[in-house]
Amino acid sequence: SWNAMIAAYAQNGQAEESLKYFELMRVEGVIPDRISFITILDACGSLGALSDGKLIHGSIAGSGLGSDVVVGTALINMYGKCG
């Protein structure tokens, strides 16, 4: 699954690859779920990729998951790591 690939890269020090797979997932028309967002936000935080994180934040707001507590925590962690 897409989430498994994104998580595998993110958890093995290859956060840039996880960002590539996340984008490919979206290009293929797959709608990210809460696990997708939580995982990719962690990858953004690991890379210090604030601009990518902000774009993903916008996608979260549009997805209806903005009030999800775990997603919100992942956002706070990402912003904290990105400075």
Side-chain angles (χ1 to χ4, degrees), residues 49 61 74 77:
N77 289 338

Side-chain angles (χ1 to χ4, degrees):
S1 84
W2 287 102
N3 286 343
M5 290 297 294
I6 293 166
Y9 281 117
Q11 293 170 3
N12 287 292
Q14 298 182 32
E16 288 183 22
E17 286 296 316
S18 66
L19 282 170
K20 289 178 188 176
Y21 270 87
F22 183 78
E23 182 57 31
L24 182 59
M25 177 182 83
R26 296 180 72 178
V27 167
E28 293 288 325
V30 178
I31 298 169
D33 60 14
R34 74 190 295 260
I35 301 302
S36 308
F37 286 127
I38 292 164
T39 305
I40 204 62
L41 287 170
D42 184 52
C44 289
S46 295
L47 290 170
L50 183 59
S51 60
D52 290 318
K54 285 182 176 181
L55 289 172
I56 293 164
H57 188 174
S59 297
I60 290 168
S63 73
L65 289 171
S67 61
D68 184 288
V69 174
V70 179
V71 173
T73 301
L75 279 165
I76 290 167
N77 289 338
M78 182 275 299
Y79 280 117
K81 290 178 182 177
C82 289

